[in-house]
Every structure is written in C-alpha cells, then in structure tokens.
Amino acid sequence: MKDQSKMPLMEALERMRYERLVPFDVPGHKHGKGNPQLTEFLGEKCLSVDVNSMKPLDNLCHPVSVIKEAEELAAEAFGAAHAFFMVGGTTSAVQAMILASVKSGDEIILPRNVHQSVINALVLCGAVPVYINPQMNKKLGIALGMSVDDVRRTIEEHPLAKAILVNNPTYYGICSDLKQITQIAHENGLRVLADEAHGTHFYFGKDMPVSAMAVGADMAAISMHKSGGSLTQSSLLLCGSEVNANYVRKIINLTQTTSGSYLLLSSLDISRRNLALWGEETFEKVKNFAQYARDEINAIGDYYAYSKELINGDSVFDFDTTKLSVNTFGLGLAGIEVYDLLRDEYDIQIEFGDLGNFLAYISVGDKNKNIERLISALSEIRRIYKKDNENMLETEYISPTVVISPQEAFYAEKTSLPLAECGGRVCTEFVMCYPPGIPILAPGERITREIIAYIQYAKEKGCVITGPESMDISRLNVWRGE
Ligand SMILES: Cc1ncc(COP(=O)(O)O)c(C=O)c1O
C-alpha cells in the first residue's frame, strides 16, 4: 500500500517555489512578473507554479519521476493497473482509450446516447460504430442504459467487433449492468471501455454503483474535474492489467500538448489525495444533500426528481443518487426553460436543461442555504410559470440509420442545404444540444423529418445547439454521394 497522503507533484512545485528559481524558460509571463493584470486576477501563488516541464518536475509525455509517482498513487487509489494524468479534459481520455483499442474499419459496439467525444474519436480513427439503441423512459424523455440481452445479441451479430463502450453512468445517473456486460464482452474477446465522466465518486463512495475497474473493465475515462474536485480540463485515463500502458502513452502523445499545465496536474494530485483519504465521507454528504433536495422538490408538486425507483434490473441496473435529475413535464415547461428561468430570474446556474429534464449538480462544495435557495426558486417558478403541458414534444428515441462511417461522412464531398430541406439526406456533421453533448445527428446518419422537427423544437425552446458549420443551425452539410 502506498502512502495516499503524499502529493509528489504538488510537493515538487512547492520546492521549486521556495528555491526562487530564476526563469529563463517559458512561459513568458515568468512567474507572473511579465503580466501584472493576469497576476492580479489569478493571484501570485497561482502564476508562480504555472511553469513548464523541467527535470525536477518531470514531463507529462514521458514521466519518470514525480508525475510517474503521482500517477502510480492515482492508479492505486482507483484500483487500476495504470493511471494517466490528462490535461485535455475527459474528451482526451475518451479519445485515447478508443484510439488505443480500434482502428480504421474495426467495429466498436456502443450505445447511441454517448458524448460527442466518442463519435469524434471514430472520425479520427475510422472505426465503425455498431449502435445498441438504449431503452427509453418515455415518461421522462430520457435514454436509459443498454440491456444485457441487446449486448449479447449484438456481439453475436458482430463477431469481429473489437470493443464495447459503456456509459457509467449517463449524465442523468443511469447505470447499465457493467459487470455482466464486461463478462460477456471478455468471453467474446472484446475490450471494455467505460466513459466514467460522471462516475469518479463510484471509486470512493459507499453503496455506489460499481466502478469500471472494480468489475474488470479494460479502460475508463474519469472526469476528476466533475465530482473529483480538480480543475476544469483535468481528467484521468485508467487502464486494467491486460492493457499495454506504454502503447496507450504513445496514443495519448499523438494529440496531447507537450506543455501540460502544472496547475491542472497538481490539481489532480491534490484531488486524488482528498478522495483517497476522505472520499467516503465526502460523497456521503453529497448523497445526503441530493436526497434532501430530491425529497423537497418532489414535495413541491409537478416536478419529478427521480432516483432508485427507476431500477428495473436491466436497462436501469443502478442509479447514482448523487445526481439531482429532475423531470419538468408536469410543469408544462421544458427543462431548458427552467434552466433559463433559474439563471435569469434567480441567479442560479444549473448544469443543464434538455427538453424535459434538468440536472442540478450537487457536490461537497454546496451549502444548506444554497440548496434551500434552489428549492424555493423552483417552488416559485411553479407558482408563476406553470403551463398547460399539452403542446410539449414527447421525446421518443430516434433510432439512427448509419449510412456511412463517421470518418467517411466527415471528410466526404458535401452540399449545404437549409435545415428544412435536409430530410432523407445523409448528414456529414454533428448536431447536438450542449450540454449534455449527446449528438442528435452524427456524421454518416440519415436525416429524417422527425429529427428536423426535434432540432427545430429544441431551437425554439432555447437549447444551445452546436456542431454544424452553420452557427445558427439554419443549414446542414449533407453528403453529395447520393
Ligand atoms: C459522458 C461524457 N463523456 C465525456 C465528456 C467530456 O468531458 P470534458 O468536457 O472533460 O472533455 C463529457 C462532458 O460533459 C460527458 O458528459
């Protein structure tokens, strides 16, 4: 057992700070002295450790000393054979695990409700997606997990598939049966990749859904900057014992910066220590906060803050109770409308709103009084803004038809058409509401009238839609090949 109270990277930075090193290297702000405005804004302490790699601080691309030690501590804390510190967000961790597992023409099995970073990786490497359509909870308008039978059948139908990717959990807190899926995949020679952008706490909290490393999955992308408390953009990539970590490092170095930020790296080191020493009690508090808020919000009426009652033994195998996901259909308002009202009228910023739900992110940084403020704002919103819910769009899962691979579509010859005229054509770009960043359309998929209606409705309701070249989403680039 390693000493998890140590922070090798942070301690090396402290040593450097007290050595009063004279910098003749980049960054050019030279410990903040060359940019007083920035130093005043961020603070001298912060700028003094915004440095470049140097011998005593190791090098992220080829770690041999303090970064290596810090990564080893993280690996042990997460029960992994190897951990990589990532500075390009969980996007970079997701992309590295996919690029390390599949290549051009290989099949990868995945649910369709993945984050855009997953399909972006397929554009980069040329692998072909085999989608398992997630089950849908129509009452809530959310996609659930993958059913084990669907996974088994898809693997049988695609015996050459190389990997399967699982969301653990989804943004809304839904978990598939990762243990069984891992077992079935391994029996059939597939690598198991877990997108755990929303599951850092599974490794430390009590009575949480299972984590990828605990059930023997091969790789996991972890957003330390979400529930783990580190700085935005800092993440981890975990590997199991069957994965060649030295090959994974080469893949990471294909796209990773050669100037990894020590602010981000030290935040990973410090947060790992906090999680290893105090994670269990921290997430107990978060669960209690979320449960309290859920009970109070459900008592208001018309809102539905859901939880473990959704569990059905398969497509909702488990639920992450730290997530405060709330359905708003009963109120006659889209989740994004409640999101906008909270922000504009009550100065409350929540994580995201979609057409029928919103997610308020609860963490150890919350205070009772803030939770009370959210609850009373929601109560007032119901009193003032509640509407008839007759004209709300029922969110059906729109099963995608993949005509060509994401890579082929992305680089294909294209024509730009007004959105309303795109029906029947093949899309060559992404269209998604951000957050949650799950593509409504991915490159290579057939555009249908239903999808156009969905995009138009989401625009009307005020969702931030991203992806296409046309910034106002009035047009889409479609494939010229048909
Ligand atoms: C499921 C999922 N995977 C990956 C990511 C990418 O994370 P990042 O924003 O850190 O790049 C996100 C971001 O929200 C996500 O929701």
Side-chain angles (χ1 to χ4, degrees):
M1 284 280 285
K2 295 182 190 301
D3 179 356
Q4 288 287 341
S5 66
K6 283 185 143 183
M7 295 172 286
L9 192 45
M10 184 270 212
E11 289 154 15
L13 283 163
E14 287 274 40
R15 280 196 295 277
M16 181 212 66
R17 187 148 51 194
Y18 290 109
E19 275 165 6
R20 299 179 158 272
L21 206 63
V22 182
F24 278 101
D25 61 351
V26 293
H29 63 64
K30 303 246 169 159
H31 300 185
K33 308 269 186 314
N35 193 340
Q37 291 80 8
L38 184 64
T39 307
E40 186 173 349
F41 183 59
L42 291 180
E44 220 172 287
K45 273 192 124 175
C46 174
L47 271 286
S48 72
V49 291
D50 181 44
V51 289
N52 203 4
S53 59
M54 56 183 85
K55 271 196 179 158
L57 294 183
D58 210 354
N59 185 325
L60 184 60
C61 301
H62 186 86
V64 292
S65 59
V66 287
I67 294 181
K68 179 169 182 277
E69 271 177 62
E71 288 185 335
E72 284 168 359
L73 281 160
E76 186 190 83
F78 281 81
H82 198 96
F84 290 96
F85 280 12
M86 306 294 291
V87 292
T90 305
T91 294
S92 64
V94 164
Q95 294 183 346
M97 70 181 180
I98 293 176
L99 266 56
S101 305
V102 286
K103 54 186 186 325
S104 188
D106 285 349
E107 287 182 327
I108 174 169
I109 299 174
L110 63 163
R112 179 56 176 73
N113 55 329
V114 286
H115 185 256
Q116 59 158 329
S117 54
V118 173
I119 306 177
N120 280 345
L122 305 186
V123 169
L124 293 173
C125 73
V128 180
V130 176
Y131 291 122
I132 295 189
N133 289 338
Q135 314 265 313
M136 192 76 194
N137 181 321
K138 284 198 188 160
K139 190 171 143 221
L140 301 178
I142 59 170
L144 305 176
M146 291 188 288
S147 102
V148 169
D149 280 345
D150 286 347
V151 169
R152 202 176 276 118
R153 190 173 32 76
T154 310
I155 291 178
E156 273 167 25
E157 287 168 5
H158 295 268
L160 298 179
K162 292 284 190 303
I164 181 164
L165 183 135
V166 187
N167 290 315
N168 193 46
T170 66
Y171 224 136
Y172 303 86
I174 309 280
C175 299
S176 304
D177 185 352
L178 185 58
K179 187 170 177 192
Q180 233 195 114
I181 292 173
T182 300
Q183 205 176 328
I184 297 167
H186 281 170
E187 281 164 12
N188 288 277
L190 276 81
R191 188 174 264 191
V192 180
L193 314 177
D195 183 342
E196 295 193 317
H198 304 287
T200 308
H201 45 289
F202 291 180
Y203 288 86
F204 302 96
K206 231 170 64 187
D207 301 325
M208 294 274 173
V210 292
S211 69
M213 289 298 119
V215 298
D218 297 288
M219 300 178 90
I222 307 279
S223 278
M224 281 287 273
H225 69 89
K226 292 195 168 94
S227 58
S230 64
L231 287 179
T232 296
Q233 228 175 290
S234 62
S235 292
L236 292 177
L237 174 59
L238 304 179
C239 299
S241 54
E242 298 300 308
V243 173
N244 177 353
N246 288 328
Y247 175 68
V248 175
R249 181 175 300 104
K250 286 204 305 191
I251 294 282
I252 292 171
N253 282 336
L254 288 178
T255 50
Q256 178 173 264
T257 174
T258 48
S259 309
S261 160
Y262 278 88
L263 299 178
L264 300 186
L265 294 171
S266 57
S267 84
L268 284 170
D269 203 20
I270 296 169
S271 305
R272 180 272 312 152
R273 173 193 187 244
N274 294 347
L275 291 173
L277 300 185
W278 306 299
E280 191 173 316
E281 61 197 79
T282 296
F283 294 117
E284 209 47 38
K285 268 192 212 152
V286 177
K287 272 202 297 190
N288 292 340
F289 267 147
Q291 190 53 44
Y292 172 74
R294 202 159 24 240
D295 291 342
E296 293 293 312
I297 291 168
N298 282 333
I300 296 171
D302 294 322
Y303 294 103
Y304 174 29
Y306 37 96
S307 182
K308 282 191 179 271
E309 68 281 4
L310 297 184
I311 291 176
N312 60 16
D314 193 16
S315 58
V316 188
F317 187 75
D318 208 344
F319 187 84
D320 171 10
T321 56
T322 68
K323 299 275 185 296
L324 183 58
S325 308
V326 183
N327 185 268
T328 58
F329 278 144
L331 208 64
L333 295 174
I336 185 69
E337 290 176 304
V338 175
Y339 171 106
D340 284 339
L341 285 166
L342 284 168
R343 167 84 215 206
D344 298 343
E345 306 298 327
Y346 300 91
D347 293 329
I348 293 175
Q349 178 63 57
I350 57 171
E351 176 70 7
F352 79 88
D354 66 15
L355 296 184
N357 302 269
F358 68 80
L359 179 84
Y361 206 83
I362 306 290
S363 89
V364 68
D366 284 312
K367 295 206 167 66
N368 285 331
K369 71 171 198 255
N370 291 353
I371 305 248
E372 293 301 345
R373 201 165 139 190
L374 173 67
I375 295 163
S376 66
L378 289 172
S379 172
E380 203 170 294
I381 286 174
R382 173 179 182 258
R383 192 165 51 75
I384 302 174
Y385 300 98
K386 180 179 160 143
K387 285 199 293 207
D388 193 346
N389 63 4
E390 250 173 35
N391 293 328
M392 293 187 74
L393 184 80
E394 276 227 2
T395 326
E396 289 282 347
Y397 178 76
I398 307 176
S399 176
T401 307
V402 179
V403 183
I404 49 175
S405 79
Q407 188 183 59
E408 216 184 318
F410 190 87
Y411 292 109
E413 291 292 318
K414 19 189 126 43
T415 311
S416 166
L417 288 182
L419 179 62
E421 293 169 27
C422 290
R425 303 299 295 265
V426 175
C427 196
T428 63
E429 43 193 3
F430 287 97
V431 183
M432 65 219 137
C433 299
Y434 212 99
I438 296 165
I440 303 166
L441 274 170
E445 292 177 1
R446 175 93 57 209
I447 307 165
T448 63
R449 301 244 153 257
E450 274 173 297
I451 294 173
I452 295 172
Y454 184 93
I455 296 170
Q456 282 163 338
Y457 182 80
K459 269 172 76 173
E460 252 170 61
K461 289 292 176 191
C463 290
V464 177
I465 303 189
T466 64
E469 263 175 38
S470 148
M471 294 290 282
D472 61 358
I473 329 294
S474 57
R475 308 178 73 84
L476 289 180
N477 284 343
V478 299
W479 187 34
R480 239 193 254 167
E482 272 190 333

